Amino acid sequence: MTFAERNNAWTAEQRAAARDARRQMEHLGVVRLAFADAHGVLRGKTLVAGEAARVMADGVRATTTLLMKDLSGKTAFPVFGPDAGFDDPALQGAADMVMLPDPATFHVLPWAPHTGWMLCDVYLPDGRPMPLSSRAQLAAAVQRLAARGMRWVAGVELECHIVQAGPDVDGAPGPRTLLNPGYQYLTELRYDALDPLMEQLRATLQALGLPLRTLEIEFGPSQVELTFAPGEGLVPADQLILVRSAVKQVCRRAGYVASFMSRPKLPGVVSSGWHLHQSIRDAAGRNLFMDDAAPLSPTGRAWLAGLLAHAAGACAFTTPTINGYRRYRPYTNAPTRAGWAADNRGAMVRLLGGQPGAQGGDPATRLENRCPEPAANPYLAMAAQIAAGLDGIDAALDPGPPSATPYDDGRPLLPRSLPDALDALNADPVLEAAFGAGFIRYYTHLKQAEIDRFDAEVTSWEHQEYFELL
């Protein structure tokens, strides 16, 4: 029996998708097998196509340390010592794990048409799901919803900066040239000036079968936005991971650098965000946030209240970088407080579809969480939304009235830094129960390593402020 058969890892649909993927591999050169680490960075292996077809149902081995690295690429845990930071011996000693492809995610990459691509689920060799897997966290959250007869629905609005890449200087990246000076939001002339690049992105994303809706020139210099139709379950997170990778690779091949960093150091920069639209449906497909007589159903109000109640701890997943907190500024279309409003872009959560005083009954009724940064791991960010929303339902929480002044209404402030968000996460028993105490310890340790590296550096601000004057 194959690894997938022994561990009942594939559904009937995945087995059918595997047969189709093998047929397509006959015409390919290589297949990239990838998974997202805790940061949302894709890691994995590249196999020649024949070998990928042969081992697809058994997976390929890789070192567990791929899930233990900080963003500098260094392993952040003492894996070779007697206490590697984990209770499970299978995670010690840089031991092996199994990357099992999900055939339903198979694509041929339009910019490298000799190349197939699949996302993988990660397992321990004994068949247990890898406890450090972020995709497994979202899968478990989706299953908790399914046990209640509910389905997760999410849509994505994603902003990024794209700049012209300069030649490297002494091994370091060269100057970056802005593609436009910004501050002409949604102007046709600015779009036309970027049309050759935007057309490459459009063609690529649609060739991948991604539900692209719009390509937009955003407010800031060299800033663009991509929006996508909603999907269910793991699909929207899988799609976001692929979108970011595709955009970066297509831009790099064309001589550009695309960055999903929230607030890069560019002249006149405007921060980028990831607006996460969400709702839940019942087994028949009815939107459970919709109400025939009100803007938002009782279920939707309770879910909203859960998002607000757990906003601080969830920020550790929705805004997982030090840089992301530089975006939380008053009067900037980014939130600073855990409040909500109807169609107000200053609030953390924006109610769309249903409007106060309206009849209701809009099947597109949804909540838009404006906290996430574009670089967030979508599996963890979405799993946090589900955990918070379900607690709102279970505890019958009330979100209170909408805010007319979201920056000044006295609602609880969002964390001002990544350390503050990690403190809030560690103090939130609901999120700990949803993710598991072991995963929270792992994630906190990994992000603390990032904070420690940052604290050890001398910033350009410090040097400019103190060097000559003091």
Side-chain angles (χ1 to χ4, degrees):
M1 297 178 70
T2 65
F3 186 91
E5 290 169 334
R6 285 197 307 274
N7 298 289
N8 196 29
W10 281 356
T11 64
E13 290 78 9
Q14 286 173 309
R15 290 193 293 271
R19 291 190 292 271
D20 182 65
R22 288 190 183 96
R23 286 193 293 270
Q24 295 189 64
M25 288 179 195
E26 294 175 1
H27 309 288
L28 298 176
V30 297
V31 177
R32 300 181 194 172
L33 304 181
F35 65 91
D37 68 9
H39 311 285
V41 173
L42 284 176
R43 301 184 185 273
K45 291 189 172 184
T46 300
L47 283 67
V48 296
E51 182 68 4
R54 186 182 71 82
V55 305
M56 193 188 318
D58 277 311
V60 297
R61 297 288 185 109
T63 174
T64 51
T65 58
L66 289 175
L67 284 164
M68 302 176 192
K69 295 188 181 298
D70 63 21
L71 285 169
S72 74
K74 296 179 180 178
T75 301
F77 295 84
V79 293
F80 297 111
D83 179 9
F86 303 98
D87 297 330
D88 193 333
L91 300 178
Q92 300 175 5
D96 276 353
M97 60 186 184
V98 177
M99 297 167 46
L100 182 67
D102 178 351
T105 67
F106 178 82
H107 293 279
V108 176
L109 300 183
W111 63 91
H114 59 285
T115 304
W117 183 91
M118 278 186 287
L119 280 172
C120 295
D121 288 307
V122 189
Y123 293 84
L124 297 175
D126 60 11
R128 287 180 292 151
M130 163 57 78
L132 310 183
S133 167
S134 56
R135 193 172 192 247
Q137 285 287 346
L138 180 56
V142 168
Q143 284 301 312
R144 287 194 293 273
L145 276 177
R148 299 167 180 242
M150 298 175 178
R151 293 146 58 183
W152 167 251
V153 180
V156 169
E157 296 180 12
L158 192 66
E159 296 170 345
C160 68
H161 291 87
I162 302 177
V163 297
Q164 186 85 43
D168 290 350
V169 179
D170 296 329
R176 307 305 196 195
T177 304
L178 297 176
L179 303 189
N180 65 50
Y183 311 114
Q184 290 293 338
Y185 180 49
L186 296 183
T187 51
E188 183 179 4
L189 290 178
R190 288 282 170 85
Y191 185 95
D192 190 70
L194 269 63
D195 180 70
L197 174 60
M198 300 298 271
E199 179 58 16
Q200 287 188 61
L201 294 177
R202 179 208 61 77
T204 296
L205 297 177
Q206 290 191 317
L208 287 168
L210 296 168
L212 180 67
R213 280 185 165 173
T214 67
L215 305 95
E216 300 175 2
I217 300 301
E218 260 296 334
F219 187 65
S222 264
Q223 189 179 38
V224 303
E225 181 178 54
L226 307 169
T227 71
F228 298 85
E232 288 193 9
L234 295 176
V235 169
D238 289 344
Q239 290 176 341
L240 191 150
I241 282 286
L242 181 54
V243 165
R244 289 197 309 218
S245 184
V247 168
K248 290 184 74 68
Q249 292 181 61
V250 169
C251 285
R252 172 57 74 179
R253 285 172 177 248
Y256 302 94
V257 174
S259 177
F260 294 92
M261 177 182 182
S262 184
R263 192 172 178 84
K265 192 173 178 61
L266 296 172
V269 70
V270 174
S271 301
S272 290
W274 162 29
H275 304 149
L276 175 51
H277 295 251
Q278 59 192 275
S279 62
I280 51 177
R281 294 175 182 162
D282 63 17
R286 185 180 187 276
N287 184 350
L288 294 178
F289 287 2
M290 180 183 73
D291 192 286
D292 290 336
L296 188 63
S297 70
T299 296
R301 286 183 59 83
W303 185 281
L304 166 59
L307 297 183
L308 302 180
H310 300 286
C315 276
F317 297 119
T318 62
T319 310
T321 72
I322 291 168
N323 177 264
Y325 291 86
R326 303 189 190 281
R327 172 174 162 261
Y328 290 174
R329 302 178 178 212
Y331 310 107
T332 62
N333 288 319
T336 60
R337 297 179 181 272
W340 75 281
D343 202 7
N344 187 320
R345 287 177 169 81
M348 180 191 122
V349 180
R350 186 167 70 127
L351 170 61
L352 294 167
Q355 295 295 323
Q359 181 67 26
D362 186 345
T365 300
R366 62 197 184 278
L367 300 172
E368 176 194 26
N369 191 335
R370 298 175 65 82
C371 269
E373 64 172 312
N377 181 323
Y379 300 109
L380 299 181
M382 293 185 190
Q385 303 300 284
I386 294 172
L390 282 179
D391 184 62
I393 291 174
D394 291 342
L397 300 181
D398 187 337
S403 174
T405 55
Y407 293 111
D408 305 303
D409 65 356
R411 301 287 179 98
L413 287 167
L414 296 173
R416 299 299 303 274
S417 67
L418 181 57
D420 289 348
L422 293 177
D423 288 343
L425 174 62
N426 284 306
D428 192 319
V430 169
L431 293 178
E432 181 183 74
F435 285 88
F439 187 88
I440 296 297
R441 287 196 303 272
Y442 153 72
Y443 185 78
T444 301
H445 180 94
L446 203 55
K447 300 311 292 185
Q448 187 61 51
E450 187 175 329
I451 293 166
D452 292 345
R453 286 191 300 109
F454 175 79
D455 287 343
E457 292 294 320
V458 176
T459 66
S460 59
W461 184 93
E462 292 172 89
H463 190 82
Q464 181 176 330
E465 187 80 2
Y466 303 131
F467 182 75
E468 183 175 347
L469 183 63
L470 299 181

